[in-house]
Amino acid sequence: EVGLQSLLFWLFLSMYLVTFTGNLLIILAILTDSRLHTPMYFFLSNLSFSDICFISTTVPKMLLNIQTQSKVITYEGCLSQMYFFMLFGVLDTFLLTVMAYDRFVAICHPLHYMVIMNPKFRGILLLGSWVLCVLNSLLHDLMILQLSFCTELEILHFFCELKQVIQLACSDTFLNDLAMYLTSGLLGVVPLTGILSTYSRIVTSILRISSVKGKYKAFSTCGSHLSVVSLFYGTSLGVYLSSTASQNSRASAIASVMFTVVTPMPNPFIYGLRNRDIKQGLRKLFSTET
């Protein structure tokens, strides 16, 4: 048991450090290299920031719990953890949708790209995403405050999750459940539908390109984004199916950890290794530092 705890601690710590460092390097590379001051990299830097915050809402507390052999979290701590977990989790979906639209404009309307994706419009897209995410998290937290809990809160989990906290309440949770399923449906299905419809138009546009080289070049600009979207939604679907199909809290906990820790980790590598501009930006960053 002690050996397993130690193994989990070092595993999660290394994964956290890799995710944190990788995303931080991407943000610094984009900030320092003027060639990367384009709409695509503007949204990528925001996605990296969101991923850092997302993993930081749960993993540091989880590491502390493993190290101290304690699973205690205060009621206020639980509410704040849930708030930021939902905020940055949903922000990721919005940013991925906005990035899909950015790729659509770049491939289908290349001559008007910089006019359409101007700084003001980019700011509106980003601000709109933040506002919706903040309101969603605020709604659920305020609704949790209306619930009464008969016993001491005991969550058999690595972190406070909305569904588990609602299940522990001894007052009527119908409105909480309704809000949870409605917002999950809207904030999950609508962005995914947007991404799928955008990519169907991108593929149609790419197929019209006569040269093979042109097709490859157009598709390579959205390959990294497609990989990240597939990973994000694939893991999200896996977590949702495992939590609904299984009543086993341990299986649900493992699935949630996979989503929290594993999903943001490959993003810097996907964008860093597949993208020539990011590679050059990182080289420039390191050469400036040295």
Side-chain angles (χ1 to χ4, degrees), residues 257-271:
V257 168
M258 282 288 289
F259 178 63
T260 316
V261 184
V262 178
T263 311
M265 194 172 71
N267 291 7
F269 298 102
I270 291 169
Y271 278 104

Side-chain angles (χ1 to χ4, degrees), residues 6-222:
S6 179
L7 178 69
L8 285 173
F9 176 83
W10 289 109
L11 178 68
F12 287 134
L13 179 63
S14 57
M15 288 169 93
Y16 177 72
L17 290 174
V18 165
T19 306
F20 190 96
T21 310
N23 282 295
L24 186 64
L25 285 173
I26 281 186
I27 293 168
L28 291 172
I30 291 168
L31 286 173
T32 53
D33 193 340
S34 57
R35 289 172 304 173
L36 300 177
H37 294 175
T38 62
M40 176 179 154
Y41 296 114
F42 168 75
F43 293 122
L44 176 58
S45 61
N46 279 281
L47 180 71
S48 292
F49 173 74
S50 179
D51 280 342
I52 287 173
C53 296
F54 182 59
I55 198 168
S56 297
T57 56
T58 52
V59 178
K61 176 65 181 168
M62 195 160 70
L63 292 171
L64 184 69
N65 288 357
I66 294 170
Q67 195 69 359
T68 57
Q69 299 288 301
S70 163
K71 291 181 181 176
V72 176
I73 187 167
T74 61
Y75 181 60
E76 294 79 12
C78 186
L79 282 174
S80 60
Q81 192 183 59
M82 272 194 306
Y83 178 85
F84 289 110
F85 179 76
M86 287 185 285
L87 171 63
F88 292 110
V90 176
L91 185 59
D92 265 13
T93 66
F94 280 5
L95 287 171
L96 288 171
T97 310
V98 168
M99 287 169 83
Y101 178 72
D102 170 75
R103 291 298 82 212
F104 161 73
V105 177
I107 292 166
C108 301
H109 305 283
L111 298 176
H112 302 113
Y113 177 63
M114 292 309 289
V115 177
I116 296 169
M117 300 304 290
N118 61 73
K120 187 182 175 182
F121 183 58
R122 294 195 316 247
I124 290 167
L125 287 174
L126 186 64
L127 182 64
S129 301
W130 270 96
V131 169
L132 286 170
C133 295
V134 166
L135 290 175
N136 173 61
S137 295
L138 202 59
L139 168 74
H140 290 298
D141 261 26
L142 290 173
M143 288 184 79
I144 288 287
L145 287 170
Q146 306 303 313
L147 297 176
S148 54
F149 300 91
C150 312
T151 56
E152 284 288 309
L153 277 178
E154 197 170 296
I155 297 165
L156 299 168
H157 218 317
F158 293 100
F159 58 90
C160 289
E161 203 176 28
L162 181 66
K163 190 179 176 183
Q164 285 220 331
V165 174
I166 290 172
Q167 286 171 350
L168 294 170
C170 58
S171 53
D172 184 38
T173 61
F174 173 75
L175 287 174
N176 294 76
D177 287 325
L178 184 67
M180 182 175 67
Y181 288 115
L182 276 176
T183 54
S184 298
L186 280 170
L187 301 177
V189 174
V190 173
L192 181 60
T193 307
I195 290 169
L196 292 174
S197 64
T198 301
Y199 268 105
S200 68
R201 292 168 79 178
I202 286 171
V203 169
T204 307
S205 184
I206 289 173
L207 290 174
R208 287 202 201 105
I209 300 170
S210 55
S211 70
V212 176
K213 193 180 177 182
K215 283 179 182 176
Y216 175 77
K217 190 181 176 184
F219 191 76
S220 66
T221 63
C222 49

